[in-house]
Amino acid sequence: MAGWHTHQGQAICLPVANVDTDQLIPARFMSVSRADGYGDYLLYDMRRDATGALRADFPLNAHPGASVILAGRNFGSGSSREAAVYALVDAGIRAVIAPSFGDIFAANAVNNGLLPAKVDDEGYAAVEAAVAKDPQSITIDLDARRLTIDAATIHFTIDDSWALKLKNGWDDIDLTRNYCEAIAAFKVNRSQTATWAWPAEVE
Amino acid sequence: MRPPQTMLDKLWAAHEVTRREDGVSLLWVDRHLVHEGSHHAFAKISERDLPVAEPGLTFAVVDHYAPTRNRSKIDAPQIARMIDTLRDNAAAHGLRLYDLDDPRQGIVHVVGPEEGLTLPGLLINCGDSHTSTHGAFGTLAFGIGATEVAHVLATQTVWQRKPRSMRISVEGTLGAGVTAKDIALGWIARLGTDGAQGHAVEYAGSAIRGLSMEGRMTLCNLSIEGGARFGMVAPDETTLAYLKGRRFAPKGAEWQAACVSWASLASDAGARFDREVTLDASEISPTVTWGTSPEQALPIRTPIPDPASLPPHKAEAARAALEYMGLKTGDMLEGTPVDQVFIGSCTNGRIEDLRAAAAVLKGRKARVPGLISPGSARVKAQAEAEGLDRIFIEAGLDWVASGCSMCVGMNGDLVGEGKRCASSTNRNFKGRQGRGARTHLMSPAMVAAAAVTGELTDVRPLLVGRVT
Ligand code: SF4
């Protein structure tokens, strides 16, 4: 996965609270393999009518080139399904700006290069004022934790270790290899001091 | 002398392999549970040609896509494929698999405790947010996404920043017909679905001590719906009594050693929590959700709220929720007609839940159709040994095999478009039980009451004179 420091794209507004993982990707699409792409399933039931046709008035449909979404609080709450992040990423989304995120969603996002940018009420209002009617060009600076939209500059927060990971495109499995010895030593120690922590032998 | 520690502090320290400069810890994982949905993670490790680091600590369960009828012949090819993929991955990596025909199969969060795989003092991961369930045993248990599942498969460790600590104390005695589900929906309604975000919740107080393991699991399970990733209860006699003799639980001298170790897990007197919330058990009543988020919940004998009366940041969501749910402000929740009922899931599909539902249904008929899917094959066998299945069938409800079933609908058990379902599950999200489905979350006894009357109903009058 490639890291990134800045992103410039179009931001759209989805001013809804609690956009949960079941809405981001309904369960019925989760057996798809990643190689087949998840973009078409993003917010499937919100974006489409009962016949499966795209609703013209839905922001993502009207502006398919958008790469940044402004959303209400508690975005991505619910399940641990990483497919919710795949759907966003495969649809070209690079960042979601919201007052708060579901914890597991945010971790999954970072693992896939998607920025969960947390803004305070004032920041949210400022971005909303800019994008409420029309999509706007936005610049995201990950180093400075800064969004620039219209003439406004808005700060966002993200855990330092997550920002670093996004910037470097780090993969945890590679990183953890550096700790092989510590893990092995930990295991030996635990297996001696807490033997009960291993499943009892069964027939 | 070291300062008093919380249970979280102790569990964390016991699993910390190392801590990076940025404060993120690498934690040792004692048990890793996988299911059909873990296919992405298996694909990731096979792309890199990596083995599973600890096959003996990794257990695979067929649950999310498990058909609840005609298991021997699965019609839907994509469901068969999901299950076959798990079988292939389990075989390729030498993992113990709980397959469809296994008498110990069930929902992963029901099977873990039943098998004694879940123990106090352990760290358990699973690619499922309701992994918090296992915290009921004094276990550090949390759900992770596919990338992290791949990481645990490959390294038996997980990177994690220690959350802040929060204690929810529930003091006093719960009234008749009031359950752990009502405690959970009650606190989530009060604090919001992001109320405990970034926190590990420890439940304490006399009402919690008085709960069975089943009740504690329900409570810890629902912690994630309040934004917490962990829910925990300190182990005590109730915990030990549940675990003793379980298949994978320690035996003999090991058991004694474990008990000694577990006895020191509880938070020390005077331990400081980042946040404290106290609830009075006597003030909790049977609670039902009215909206599309678990925080949109109210005691059953309450009118449906007027969005205009809610704080501004909740008003818009409430309006949308009422529209989706087809409900009118001012109408009473009680008396709202339902189309069907469901009892099951890792939240409320255990034997005690089925007994509570049976206590209401005994000798009565359901006015609406419904499905009862036990949380595991073992729960099913136990219920049948107790004759509960007869009660359900005579009431007119369908008694089927175990799996996630209508909690998430992946196996094809769905609520119809626009249909209203009284459900013992955990998420009333739009479309969770099927496109356009309208879900009301409540305890199993309350679901049973809704079945009997065909509408949302206070279960308490239906329990008068009955042994529960
Ligand atoms: S029963 Fe529902 S919440 Fe529990 S593991 Fe299955 S799908 Fe997830």
Side-chain angles (χ1 to χ4, degrees), chain B residues 63-64 107-109 128 130 221 345-347 403-404 407-408 426-427 432:
Chain B
D63 60 359
H64 281 69
I107 304 170
V108 62
H109 310 311
D128 185 279
H130 291 99
N221 172 285
S345 87
C346 61
T347 307
C404 294
C407 174
V408 70
N426 42 62
R427 287 189 176 136
R432 167 81 176 183

Side-chain angles (χ1 to χ4, degrees), chain A residues 45 73 82 159 171 176 197, chain B residues 31 48 147 151 161 435:
Chain A
D45 292 334
R73 76 176 177 98
E82 200 158 298
D159 183 286
D171 176 290
T176 305
Chain B
R31 303 279 187 276
R48 295 165 179 246
T147 303
H151 186 272
R161 186 183 288 285
R435 188 180 167 119

